[in-house]
Amino acid sequence: MTESFRRSGEYPEGDHQQPAYPEHAGFQHSYPPPPPPPYAPQTPAPTGPVGPTGSRRRAKGPFALLAAVAIAAAAVGGGTAYAFQQLTGTQDTSGTTVNGTQVAASSKGTVAGVAAAVTPSIVEINATSNAGQSTGSGVVITSGGEIITNNHVISGATSVSVVMSDGKKYSAKVVGTDSKKDLALIKVSGASGLKPASLGNSDNIQVGQEVVAIGSPEGLTGTVTSGIVSALDRDVTVATGEGQQQQQPGGGWPFEYGGRQFNGDTGSETTTYKAIQTDASLNPGNSGGALIDMNGNIVGINSAMYSASSGSGGGSSDAGSVGLGFAIPINTVKGDLATLRAGATN
């Protein structure tokens, strides 16, 4: 839109008359005036409100602001496009991830989106010891192959192997262990360019929020379950002794909650920690896997399950999840990483 301007005082305001004697001003007229040329373009009459001088008023309000943004887009490109989205409430979902998260923008907040984003960072761990063989899970935390898992998954292992989500297999060595926190750090050999998980902040989680669990229950790599955080700061006691997971009937791992022992005797060597409680289904083999928020950030390391069919001093071949699982808060893990990397064997 263009506007015309004139010098102040050139014509009195509101005066649009031609000079009284135009021929004296160098104008020539013929009477009657010539007809307009055929198909002459017609100038549409102004449709907006007219001011006291007959000029069209400038539009005001949100419409004018949006129009200005649209016009400026040709000059400033993407920045204006972003502003226009904010003003109109539209959102571009073509980006690959949401800022600061691991989840695709188009599937933010969905179980499918979390699974697609995080599954490449979850591995199956197979440990062999004098007590037998066990299967657990782990979480890749560096592209060079550092993996967090539970201490009871690899306790006493003479050899450890890792199966990635794409089926590739690597041997691994134990870097450090902390039996008091039921945590261990292992590292695969000869791997690079792995996709590390995003570690969140477990202090921010709330009871009732949605979570996703990914692990290898019964050796079924990349199994995804979902639920909510059902409680916080649960005191859970788990075994620290060698081979405890392998020795239990039903393939489970031992732990104690509320004065009762599950999946067999915890033995004389135990540790107690504050855990996140979830109803996302956990089963034997989920140990060391990830509990994830809906932005794709790891908020806990799954470590124990409650099995109502397993009483004190015994187990059951059909033991399984009844909606009470427990995870070590990820902030506990982050606080222990330096110790584990230093080769601790607590």
Side-chain angles (χ1 to χ4, degrees), residues 8 30 55 86 94 98 122 149 153 157 164 207 217 229 242 286 292 316 324 326 331:
S8 175
S30 60
S55 61
Q86 299 303 309
S94 61
V98 179
I122 311 301
T149 187
V153 170
M164 310 303 294
V207 172
V229 172
E242 176 181 340
N286 271 113
I292 313 153
S316 171
L324 289 173
F326 303 93
N331 285 6

Side-chain angles (χ1 to χ4, degrees), residues 69-91:
V69 171
I71 292 170
V76 296
T80 302
Y82 174 79
F84 188 78
Q85 291 168 7
Q86 299 303 309
L87 290 167
T88 60
T90 60
Q91 187 174 15

Side-chain angles (χ1 to χ4, degrees), residues 75-274:
V76 296
T80 302
Y82 174 79
F84 188 78
Q85 291 168 7
Q86 299 303 309
L87 290 167
T88 60
T90 60
Q91 187 174 15
D92 179 11
T93 59
S94 61
T96 56
T97 59
V98 179
N99 280 343
T101 76
Q102 296 291 307
V103 180
S106 59
S107 57
K108 180 182 178 182
T110 68
V111 174
V114 171
V118 184
T119 294
S121 303
I122 311 301
V123 303
E124 177 185 314
I125 297 174
N126 296 296
T128 302
S129 72
N130 294 331
Q133 197 168 25
S134 67
T135 298
S137 305
V139 179
V140 178
I141 60 171
T142 64
S143 61
E146 286 187 330
I147 297 170
I148 280 288
T149 187
N150 287 138
N151 176 69
H152 72 254
V153 170
I154 53 83
S155 178
T158 56
S159 66
V160 178
S161 63
V162 170
V163 181
M164 310 303 294
S165 63
D166 60 4
K168 291 182 180 179
K169 296 182 179 180
Y170 297 92
S171 61
K173 65 176 183 178
V174 177
V175 177
T177 61
D178 188 341
S179 61
K180 296 301 180 184
K181 295 185 172 106
D182 195 18
L183 293 172
L185 179 68
I186 67 174
K187 186 172 182 179
V188 297
S189 303
S192 63
L194 303 182
K195 182 179 180 181
S198 171
L199 305 185
N201 183 355
S202 52
D203 288 344
N204 291 339
I205 62 175
Q206 299 178 346
V207 172
Q209 81 172 65
E210 292 180 281
V211 286
V212 174
I214 304 179
S216 300
E218 308 293 354
L220 301 173
T221 306
T223 296
V224 178
T225 58
S226 65
I228 63 168
V229 172
S230 53
L232 297 171
D233 298 325
R234 293 297 200 199
D235 285 324
V236 171
T237 301
V238 298
T240 61
E242 176 181 340
Q244 289 286 352
Q245 178 172 345
Q246 299 95 316
Q247 295 172 356
Q248 304 314 310
W253 57 91
F255 79 101
E256 179 179 325
Y257 176 70
R260 296 178 61 198
Q261 294 174 349
F262 299 91
N263 296 313
D265 190 356
T266 57
S268 59
E269 297 181 35
T270 62
T271 185
T272 301
Y273 55 83
K274 298 287 185 182

Side-chain angles (χ1 to χ4, degrees), residues 51-62:
T53 64
S55 61
R56 187 177 173 182
R57 288 200 206 116
R58 184 173 298 174
K60 297 182 179 180

